[in-house]
Amino acid sequence: MGKFTIDTELYLILSVFTLILTGLAGFIIYFIVLYRKKQVLHAIEKERTAIEFQQELFQTQLEVQEQTMQTIGTDLHDNIGQLLSLTSLTLNSIELDDLQKARKKIDASIDLTVRSIKELRLLGKLLQGDQLMSLGLIEAIQHEINWMEKSGKFEIIYEVNGIEDQQNSSENNLILFRMMQEILNNIIKHAFATQIVIKLEYLNNTTHLQIADNGAGFDPEALPAAKKGMGLYNMQKRAGILGGTFSIKSHLGEGTCIDIVIPHTKHDKR
Amino acid sequence: MTYITYFCVYFTILLVSSIFGMVNFKKLTVPFKILTLFLTYTFISEIVARVFALRFRNSSPVYHMFVIANYYFYTAIFYQLLRGSIIRKVVIWTIIPFSCFWMINILFFQHINSFPSYSLMVACTLFIVYSLALFMQMLETPTEIAIFKQNIFWFNISALFYSVVLVAFFSISSYMVKHNISNIPIDTVVDVITAINYALLGFTIIADKRQSVKTA
């Protein structure tokens, strides 16, 4: 009877042991199957994210293009258009009876034409983002500042810290540059500022761009949703697409400070 | 397979795994550096245990030291592999109660001349929990690498399988000893599983080196 009990108990223990090992093997097989399923789902999700990223990037590029077209229109109308109208008026007013006066007007027309050509070239340079980026972001910003300073309305302070990463994606630089152009455009249109401080910093594999003005400022929270959607939200989205951050600090009457931090990426094509 | 042949194979596995790990030590990731140190420690510990067995007819003191070191090494490896802050805290804080239990076990239950099966069973039970947590983590964050090429998978399989086998073995073994039944067949099975376990751990070190070289 005692032996029978021991045998039964032993068989029971051995059965439990076998059951545990079988369960363990089952668990491992189940885990492998489940993991493979998750891997497939993960790959699909990754692909979907990559497509979404491409779509967002394409959308951003379209927005940048649209904005660029607006800049062309404004510059052609307000600047070059005015110069050419003035040239036309000057040429029309020439009276050939008075040669001395006519000579002065012709000289003035030549001067206006030369200025128009210069303006057109500058505009062309500003629009050709790829060419501009070939100079590097530091130089591109300097060009933009030179263009703005010609108005004589702003004192612009430009500071650069660190060394530009030559391998950093020029696509990222171009998007960052267009964001800066949009911010400067907003300052010109709405801020009534007299001083603009632009800081460009390269630190820990990131590009940090800060643009501050001493203008009217605004309450970012109080902006109507529609307005927000057009400007700030788009810039926030663009910074997000590049894996960076966009932050804005502003108070009524105290100016505005915008910070953009973009991590460096080595490849132009994602 | 004779006893001597088994030990030759067993020591060769431990020695080769340790040497491979040491030679490629710089190329390994932190958890597998710790694993290399553990395998080296195990190799030395097993040699000392044989010396003790031959000279004093008892290698249990060596295994008492081995159990606590084994727990610290595995805890350090799991701490490095797990990413959740709560489970990491749990892993690191269990060192204190386990060390207390190990000491209490030596003083009151399984003295220095008895094999520390209680401590080993508690350690194995904790390893099972850590291993399951690591499996959960793997499911939550799958990677593109094929599962059979992942060193973490093999390490975890080894930790889980061996811990379950040891817990089950000690339960059966104590029963057999109590009823004067020879446990040599089960002993042999466990010895073979132990050798396979260390071979698997050696393989994880090789896989880790390969992955490190690929990502470099």
Side-chain angles (χ1 to χ4, degrees):
Chain A
M1 185 68 185
K3 191 176 184 305
F4 174 76
T5 314
I6 288 170
D7 280 351
T8 314
E9 280 182 13
L10 189 63
Y11 285 134
L12 199 69
I13 288 170
L14 285 174
S15 304
V16 170
F17 187 52
T18 314
L19 209 68
I20 288 168
L21 286 184
T22 314
L24 194 62
F27 169 79
I28 292 165
I29 292 166
Y30 177 69
F31 173 81
I32 292 166
V33 172
L34 201 65
Y35 189 83
R36 283 193 169 164
K37 266 188 190 172
K38 288 253 177 187
Q39 264 183 326
V40 172
L41 286 175
H42 175 70
I44 293 168
E45 179 71 17
K46 210 176 162 187
E47 204 174 321
R48 199 175 59 83
T49 313
I51 292 167
E52 270 178 14
F53 177 82
Q54 285 296 333
Q55 282 172 343
E56 292 242 7
L57 195 68
F58 182 66
Q59 182 64 31
T60 303
Q61 280 167 345
L62 278 180
E63 281 167 12
V64 167
Q65 239 172 28
E66 177 62 29
Q67 194 192 318
T68 310
M69 298 302 272
Q70 276 179 11
T71 311
I72 298 173
T74 313
D75 272 358
L76 283 175
H77 180 266
D78 297 351
N79 199 2
I80 298 156
Q82 296 296 327
L83 281 170
L84 290 174
S85 298
L86 202 60
T87 313
S88 167
L89 276 173
T90 313
L91 287 172
N92 277 331
S93 66
I94 290 173
E95 287 169 12
L96 291 171
D97 301 340
D98 188 346
L99 283 173
Q100 209 178 351
K101 239 182 172 180
R103 164 66 57 194
K104 270 185 184 172
K105 283 185 177 175
I106 289 167
D107 284 345
S109 301
I110 291 169
D111 185 46
L112 283 169
T113 314
V114 169
R115 274 174 64 188
S116 304
I117 292 166
K118 268 189 185 172
E119 295 293 337
L120 264 174
R121 277 185 184 152
L122 265 173
L123 180 64
K125 268 188 185 174
L126 277 178
L127 297 173
Q128 286 168 333
D130 286 344
Q131 268 187 31
L132 206 62
M133 282 307 120
S134 68
L135 304 169
L137 186 63
I138 297 172
E139 273 301 304
I141 293 174
Q142 189 60 58
H143 266 263
E144 184 72 13
I145 289 168
N146 293 346
W147 172 266
M148 270 191 81
E149 274 178 336
K150 280 170 53 171
S151 70
K153 286 182 183 172
F154 308 99
E155 181 199 348
I156 303 177
I157 299 163
Y158 180 36
E159 287 175 20
V160 180
N161 289 318
I163 300 161
E164 190 168 358
D165 183 357
Q166 297 298 327
Q167 284 184 305
N168 188 24
S169 160
S170 58
E171 205 172 55
N172 284 10
N173 275 345
L174 184 59
I175 292 176
L176 185 62
F177 178 70
R178 293 300 187 206
M179 283 165 81
M180 187 211 64
Q181 279 184 317
E182 194 172 333
I183 293 163
L184 290 179
N185 239 359
N186 286 342
I187 294 173
I188 294 166
K189 280 185 192 166
H190 312 293
F192 309 107
T194 55
Q195 193 185 58
I196 301 168
V197 180
I198 301 172
K199 284 182 187 168
L200 181 67
E201 196 171 37
Y202 293 98
L203 192 70
N204 300 331
N205 277 326
T206 58
T207 305
H208 181 188
L209 180 68
Q210 188 184 67
I211 303 163
D213 68 66
N214 64 346
F218 65 101
D219 181 3
E221 297 301 317
L223 270 184
K227 262 191 171 181
K228 223 179 207 175
M230 285 300 287
L232 299 177
Y233 174 71
N234 275 357
M235 280 195 270
Q236 240 161 11
K237 202 172 76 180
R238 278 180 222 167
I241 285 171
L242 302 179
T245 56
F246 176 94
S247 61
I248 187 159
K249 280 180 209 156
S250 187
H251 294 285
L252 278 170
E254 291 175 25
T256 304
C257 180
I258 291 173
D259 273 296
I260 307 168
V261 182
I262 304 290
H264 291 174
T265 48
K266 300 285 177 199
H267 308 292
D268 276 9
K269 303 281 172 208
R270 279 160 202 274
Chain B
M1 194 198 282
T2 62
Y3 197 66
I4 292 170
T5 319
Y6 166 74
F7 272 103
C8 284
V9 173
Y10 178 62
F11 279 104
T12 309
I13 288 169
L14 274 176
L15 185 65
V16 169
S17 304
S18 308
I19 290 174
F20 184 85
M22 284 296 176
V23 169
N24 297 290
F25 198 76
K26 277 187 181 175
K27 290 172 192 165
L28 301 176
T29 54
V30 178
F32 293 91
K33 279 182 182 172
I34 301 168
L35 184 63
T36 302
L37 294 176
F38 168 67
L39 288 177
T40 312
Y41 173 79
T42 308
F43 177 71
I44 296 165
S45 186
E46 288 288 18
I47 287 177
V48 176
R50 296 302 139 227
V51 173
F52 264 65
L54 288 170
R55 287 203 66 176
F56 308 110
R57 300 268 168 206
N58 191 346
S59 55
S60 294
V62 180
Y63 286 114
H64 272 285
M65 296 314 295
F66 177 79
V67 168
I68 192 82
N70 173 50
Y71 187 76
Y72 291 158
F73 276 118
Y74 265 85
T75 300
I77 295 168
F78 276 112
Y79 181 78
Q80 290 290 332
L81 292 175
L82 290 163
R83 283 196 291 271
S85 59
I86 296 169
I87 187 74
R88 273 164 74 99
K89 273 180 196 162
V90 168
V91 167
I92 213 77
W93 280 103
T94 49
I95 284 179
I96 299 167
F98 181 79
S99 303
C100 293
F101 176 78
W102 174 77
M103 190 55 81
I104 290 165
N105 187 42
I106 293 176
L107 293 174
F108 301 108
F109 302 110
Q110 292 174 319
H111 296 286
I112 200 82
N113 288 326
S114 313
F115 189 80
S117 58
Y118 295 161
S119 302
L120 209 54
M121 277 173 82
V122 171
C124 285
T125 309
L126 288 168
F127 295 156
I128 292 169
V129 175
Y130 301 160
S131 169
L132 291 174
L134 192 55
F135 273 126
M136 284 289 288
Q137 181 183 294
M138 284 178 77
L139 280 179
E140 280 164 13
T141 51
T143 62
E144 285 165 16
I145 305 166
I147 191 155
F148 296 120
K149 287 182 182 171
Q150 288 184 36
N151 49 358
I152 294 175
F153 170 73
W154 289 114
F155 169 78
N156 216 14
I157 287 281
S158 146
L160 180 67
F161 191 76
Y162 192 56
S163 301
V164 169
V165 166
L166 279 193
V167 170
F169 166 72
F170 285 123
S171 312
I172 295 168
S173 198
S174 66
Y175 175 85
M176 287 174 149
V177 170
K178 213 165 126 187
H179 291 91
N180 290 322
I181 304 166
S182 165
N183 59 357
I184 289 172
I186 291 184
D187 262 352
T188 313
V189 171
V190 172
D191 283 345
V192 172
I193 289 174
T194 305
I196 293 169
N197 176 56
Y198 286 123
L200 202 58
L201 290 179
F203 173 75
T204 63
I205 291 172
I206 297 168
D208 187 61
K209 190 231 163 188
R210 275 187 196 156
Q211 272 181 28
S212 309
V213 169
K214 271 184 190 171
T215 48

